[in-house]
Amino acid sequence: MPDSPHAETLDIETTQPREQARAAVVSVENVAVSYPSREGVFHALSDVSLRVARREFISLIGPSGCGKTTLLRLIADLAQPSTGTIRVNGGTSRQARGDRSYGYVFQTPALQPWRTALANVMLPLEIIGLAANERRARATAALMAVGLGDAASRYPWQLSGGMQQRVSIARALSLRPELLLMDEPFGALDEITRDKLNLHLTDLWRDRDLTVIFVTHSIPEAVFLSTRIVAMSAKPGRISRVIDCGLPRRRTLDIRNTPEFLAISKQVRDALSDAYANE
Amino acid sequence: MSPATPLAVLALAATVGIAALMALTRLANRPGRAAAILTPMLFAVLVLFLWEVLTRGLAVPQVLLPAPSVIARAFWNASPELLQDVRQTVLFAAIPGFVCGSALGMVTGIAVDRSPFLQQGLLPLSSFASVIPIVGVAPIMILWFGFGWQSKAAVVLLITFFPAFVNMVAGLREASPIERDLMASYASTYWQTLWKLRLPAALPFLFTALKVNASLALIGAIVAEFFGAPVYGLGFRISAEIGHLALDRVWAAIAVAAAVGSGSYALLTAAERAATFWHPSQLPGSDRNS
């Protein structure tokens, strides 16, 4: 993606000014999720608190069963906490969902096979009742933004896995949300494709002033993308450590060879090995 | 007829049959559309030919099995009546019953999916209703709705309801949890999700139901006429001509019913291909015959 002319002005330090930090996009306070299971009560999440400021890129990382997907679903109002409160854009998560204030990217592309790539991107715009020509214009722009302008008329089964996931990102972007919630979107892709999409995503995040909460299993992916990394552990699912990731906002793949990158990776790895030790 | 004649006929039929089958096998193995269309047509011609030769050569009594040429002549002579029969049985009984039964089944399927109460109450009841034999119901429908097409349409409605209903219930479960979460993330309403996700995903199931119902409707309408009908209709024709031992006319009526049945099946298959072109079973490279 070409850099926009004023991209330099966005290329500032990662530490957020105090005013912005206070106006959190997402705030999770003392949230717990538990439900009865055969072996007694299962604690999917226990006493989780997290504040996400505008233009942050947060990665949730941890072993399976640590509740990272559950936390994302709570923020998206696709699940409800047993206790605690969740605020999105200052209101409830239900209001945020009603306002279509986030875009959600799932583990699988979840494209409708009867719709072309363009028609898939237009789906949310149909739901919100946008006029047909506006739908087409916006969806075309979103497809161009993920570099799939010339695949508009192809059906999902005619696209590779990486292209399908890019269509699903375009679909999430078509609503023009400021908040993007992504649940292991690149988990099923090969390493090279994943690198390409990571680079693409970090450009989108920076150029569009997005706030992103990103679930992943991969330490390099988390360090490459994030401003903060939230390491979680299981049984009960909880936040074990939060690691600041002070890399510049403009990132290229070779940043992964810098000492800073490797140092942060080590911190994350240490935090995670503690989490896995509890298993 | 000398005793040698049947043997000669059998020998001739066997020779021609085996030779033709070998030729057809070679044709069927050839790639291309022409072979795919020609093979079944030539096979049908072969079957008719052998039927003709065997029934004539072995002097099979007409009451048991008339030759194809005899049936064709009966069809030609009786075509005005048969046309009226088709009108009565297909246009007035089978199609209205099929449309109403299928539609009612699908709407009930949606209602059951929507309401847990109906799910518990109606699902067992309807599977009970599905095993009611139509031969038992047909006389009752005639009692209720008279001898005209209305009672036949009612029978067809009853037997086409269930396949449409169960397939709608199963089809509505086709959309995955992630696809539903996606719609929920757009704050999509129940009806939007139904229309834009769950019904399209259910289409392969609905076409299965429609194809089953097309043949059920025809059978139902014909059998229902056995229990009383005005003086036309394919079922009436079959039962009346059996009484006169006019077997050529019975076979002509059966041939017409079969033609209508396979015609409607072909029509539905074409519609299915157009509507569910995206489904793995319809995509090139899937296990399709031909």
Side-chain angles (χ1 to χ4, degrees), chain B residues 66-84:
Chain B
S69 61
V70 176
I71 296 168
R73 199 177 318 120
F75 173 77
W76 187 253
N77 292 336
S79 58
E81 287 136 294
L82 282 173
L83 210 65
Q84 204 184 16

Side-chain angles (χ1 to χ4, degrees), chain A residues 36 55 60 68 82 84 95 111 131 134 143 155 172 176 208 222:
Chain A
R55 298 174 64 224
L60 308 178
K68 47 197 193 298
S82 309
Q95 285 164 346
L111 301 177
E134 173 80 352
L143 270 182
Y155 285 94
R176 295 182 182 159
R208 300 194 169 211

Side-chain angles (χ1 to χ4, degrees), chain B residues 55-266:
Chain B
T55 45
R56 284 192 182 276
L58 302 177
V60 176
Q62 281 238 349
V63 185
L64 288 186
L65 186 64
S69 61
V70 176
I71 296 168
R73 199 177 318 120
F75 173 77
W76 187 253
N77 292 336
S79 58
E81 287 136 294
L82 282 173
L83 210 65
Q84 204 184 16
D85 292 341
V86 168
R87 216 168 77 97
Q88 172 74 12
T89 306
V90 178
L91 287 192
F92 290 158
I95 291 181
F98 168 84
V99 170
C100 295
S102 303
L104 208 63
M106 290 178 187
V107 169
T108 313
I110 293 174
V112 161
D113 176 81
R114 185 93 213 252
S115 143
F117 164 71
L118 286 180
Q119 217 160 73
Q120 282 158 22
L122 211 62
L123 220 49
L125 192 73
S126 69
S127 56
F128 175 73
S130 73
V131 294
I132 293 176
I134 49 161
V135 273
V137 176
I140 297 172
M141 290 300 121
I142 288 172
L143 213 64
W144 286 3
F145 299 110
F147 281 100
W149 57 267
Q150 293 88 343
S151 55
K152 283 73 188 173
V155 170
V156 173
L157 186 152
L158 279 178
I159 58 173
T160 53
F161 173 86
F162 188 72
F165 170 67
V166 284
N167 275 288
M168 180 56 107
V169 171
L172 287 178
R173 294 180 183 150
E174 245 329 76
S176 70
I178 282 191
E179 289 173 295
R180 290 176 204 211
D181 277 350
L182 179 74
M183 299 303 277
S185 81
Y186 305 143
S188 154
T189 64
Y190 170 82
W191 294 107
Q192 281 177 323
T193 304
L194 185 72
W195 191 247
K196 297 218 180 272
L197 169 65
R198 302 181 67 200
L199 281 180
L203 271 180
F205 284 80
L206 300 184
F207 272 105
T208 303
L210 290 181
K211 287 194 288 188
V212 168
N213 276 351
S215 50
L216 278 184
L218 199 61
I219 296 169
I222 289 172
V223 171
E225 283 174 1
F226 291 175
F227 295 90
V231 291
Y232 34 76
L234 286 170
F236 167 81
R237 186 72 49 208
I238 291 168
S239 60
E241 300 296 359
I242 281 272
H244 303 144
L245 285 183
L247 265 292
D248 50 348
R249 289 186 153 215
V250 172
W251 279 97
I254 290 172
V256 169
V260 170
S262 37
S264 59
Y265 190 85

Side-chain angles (χ1 to χ4, degrees), chain B residues 40-63:
Chain B
M41 286 175 70
L42 289 177
F43 188 76
V45 170
L46 175 66
V47 169
L48 286 178
F49 172 77
L50 290 178
W51 181 351
E52 183 81 32
V53 168
L54 289 174
T55 45
R56 284 192 182 276
L58 302 177
V60 176
Q62 281 238 349
V63 185

Side-chain angles (χ1 to χ4, degrees), chain A residues 1-4 57 140-150 162-163 165-171 173 180 182 185-186 189 191-210 212 214 221 224-225 249-254 256:
Chain A
M1 168 189 239
D3 291 327
S4 53
F57 196 118
T140 307
L143 270 182
M144 305 265 262
V146 297
L148 283 179
D150 46 0
M163 289 165 97
Q165 200 53 286
R166 272 147 81 193
V167 174
S168 94
I169 292 171
R171 182 177 58 191
L173 290 175
L180 210 52
M182 306 179 87
F186 309 139
L189 303 177
E191 197 113 356
I192 304 299
T193 310
R194 186 186 258 224
D195 282 353
K196 244 173 77 182
L197 293 190
N198 279 341
L199 199 57
H200 215 100
L201 178 60
T202 192
D203 285 344
L204 280 173
W205 161 69
R206 194 188 60 235
D207 295 346
R208 300 194 169 211
D209 285 344
L210 296 172
V212 182
F214 188 92
E221 184 172 68
F224 177 71
L225 291 169
R249 288 179 73 82
R250 175 181 299 281
R251 295 173 189 191
T252 53
L253 288 173
D254 36 325
R256 294 181 300 185

